[in-house]
């Protein structure tokens, strides 16, 4: 069996990069790894380098996958493309029938950082809001030179402005409540959609990958007690099943980052939004 040459540009602490790595390990595809130091987390700002912006991704974000000489961008599309390839494992992340694909498309759309969806309006875009505690800590540690570099070079105006605001002021406490509604509704919708066992649609698929990564980020930011609430029995079991997949270790745990900063961002492992979110779930379920 032969597969095309795959080169993945990715970052350890990047939700969408985690999704693509998990998909690669699920499929059993070999890939060359190009780890990137992102501008909001490291002085190096490798996603703003001339080479990356000119030759890999003019919008300055990861993940990007090179399939032979073709450059493929956007994690959701990358995973669809990966699913067409044959790896060592006999698994399909997308069903064949159009009706099932349509249903899956909706779940994928809601569970990742989909372009055009305003931040905090879906589960996938709520997760970055709850990551702001950490991101703001990291942005504040950057040198003035690094923030000036972001100002000059970041191609995405809204991101650039957010990083600059975080550097000079603070947005983390104000932003959280913007995402309460989407997170609570998504968790309840998921609890209602899940079965007693198996995955979202029975067989493991692309949406399960996205949810695995969203849930892991919730654990990173100390919101995972939500996933263990007795009011959410199907999510409890589902999260355990997701963590037991080998791809969870290979695609996520084996690429750690910012553990010290996370510990410092959440002293005593407490996320200030946790109890509010739990109360809202209990009220609405
Ligand atoms: N819709 C894109 C979103 C990609 C994205 O936002 N990537 C983040 C990391 S998860 C990034 O590269 N951030 C760096 C920056 O904006 O400077 C995808 O699914 O690939």
């Amino acid at each position: 069996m032969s597969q095309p040459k795959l080169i993945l540009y990715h970052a350890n602490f990047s939700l969408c990069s985690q999704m693509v790595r998990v998909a690669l390990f699920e499929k059993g595809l070999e890939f060359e790894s190009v780890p990137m130091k992102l501008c909001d987390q490291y002085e190096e700002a490798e996603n703003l380098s001339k080479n990356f912006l000119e030759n890999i991704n003019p919008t300055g974000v990861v993940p990007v996958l090179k399939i032979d000489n073709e450059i493929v961008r956007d994690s959701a599309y990358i995973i669809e493309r990966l699913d067409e390839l044959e790896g060592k494992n006999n698994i399909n992340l997308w069903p064949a029938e159009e009706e099932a694909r349509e249903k899956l498309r909706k779940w994928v759309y809601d569970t990742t950082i989909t372009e055009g969806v305003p931040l905090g309006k879906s589960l996938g875009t709520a997760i970055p809001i709850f990551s702001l505690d950490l991101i703001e800590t990291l942005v504040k540690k950057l040198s003035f030179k690094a923030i000036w570099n972001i100002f000059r070079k970041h191609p995405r105006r809204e991101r650039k402005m957010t990083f600059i605001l975080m550097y000079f002021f603070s947005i983390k406490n104000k932003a959280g409540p913007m995402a309460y509604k989407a997170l609570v509704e998504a968790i309840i919708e998921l609890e209602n959609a899940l079965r007693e066992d198996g995955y979202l649609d029975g067989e493991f698929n692309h949406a399960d990958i996205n949810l695995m990564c969203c849930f892991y980020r919730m654990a990173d930011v100390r919101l995972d007690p939500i996933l263990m609430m007795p009011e959410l029995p199907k999510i409890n079991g589902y999260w355990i099943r997701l963590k037991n997949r080998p791809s969870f270790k290979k695609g996520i745990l084996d690429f750690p980052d910012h553990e010290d900063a996370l510990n410092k961002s959440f002293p005593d492992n407490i996320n200030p939004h946790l109890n509010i979110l739990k109360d809202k779930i209990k009220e609405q379920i």
Side-chain angles (χ1 to χ4, degrees), residues 102-202:
E102 201 47 52
K103 198 170 142 207
L104 177 55
R105 207 162 280 131
K106 181 206 161 290
W107 277 103
V108 168
Y109 185 89
D110 285 340
T111 52
T112 187
I113 307 177
T114 301
E115 301 301 322
V117 176
L119 273 188
K121 294 292 174 221
S122 64
L123 177 64
T125 59
I127 295 293
I129 298 252
F130 292 108
S131 307
L132 286 180
D133 285 271
L134 172 74
I135 299 298
E136 193 169 288
T137 308
L138 297 172
V139 166
K140 282 198 183 297
K141 276 201 211 140
L142 294 173
S143 65
F144 184 75
K145 192 170 159 223
I147 207 77
W148 180 245
N149 186 44
I150 291 179
F151 176 70
R152 279 178 41 244
K153 295 196 190 143
H154 207 300
R156 297 182 64 157
R157 194 171 177 277
E158 81 295 351
R159 302 250 174 139
K160 176 196 334 232
M161 296 323 287
T162 309
F163 296 147
I164 292 171
L165 267 176
M166 284 196 263
Y167 188 75
F168 291 106
F169 307 98
S170 174
I171 61 168
K172 60 180 191 186
N173 294 333
K174 293 189 198 84
M178 277 170 50
Y180 286 169
K181 188 169 181 287
L183 186 92
V184 168
E185 286 179 2
I187 290 288
I188 294 174
E189 187 188 2
L190 181 64
E191 177 67 19
N192 292 331
L194 282 169
R195 304 145 187 244
E196 299 297 333
D197 53 19
Y199 296 96
L200 185 55
D201 199 35

Side-chain angles (χ1 to χ4, degrees), residues 13-17 38-40 47-48 60-63 73-76 112-115 154 156 159 163:
F13 193 84
S14 146
L15 187 69
C16 301
S17 299
L38 300 180
C39 64
D40 54 336
N47 58 319
L48 302 183
V61 296
V62 293
R73 306 183 182 102
D74 200 86
S75 56
T112 187
I113 307 177
T114 301
E115 301 301 322
H154 207 300
R156 297 182 64 157
R159 302 250 174 139
F163 296 147

Side-chain angles (χ1 to χ4, degrees), residues 12-13 41-42 134-135 138 256-264:
N12 284 18
F13 193 84
Q41 304 170 28
Y42 290 96
L134 172 74
I135 299 298
L138 297 172
D257 212 356
H258 307 312
E259 283 175 343
D260 283 352
L262 278 164
N263 287 333
K264 282 194 194 118

Side-chain angles (χ1 to χ4, degrees), residues 217-228:
R217 179 59 60 88
M218 287 173 69
D220 262 342
V221 301
R222 287 35 172 183
L223 287 178
D224 54 327
I226 291 175
L227 308 172
M228 296 165 234

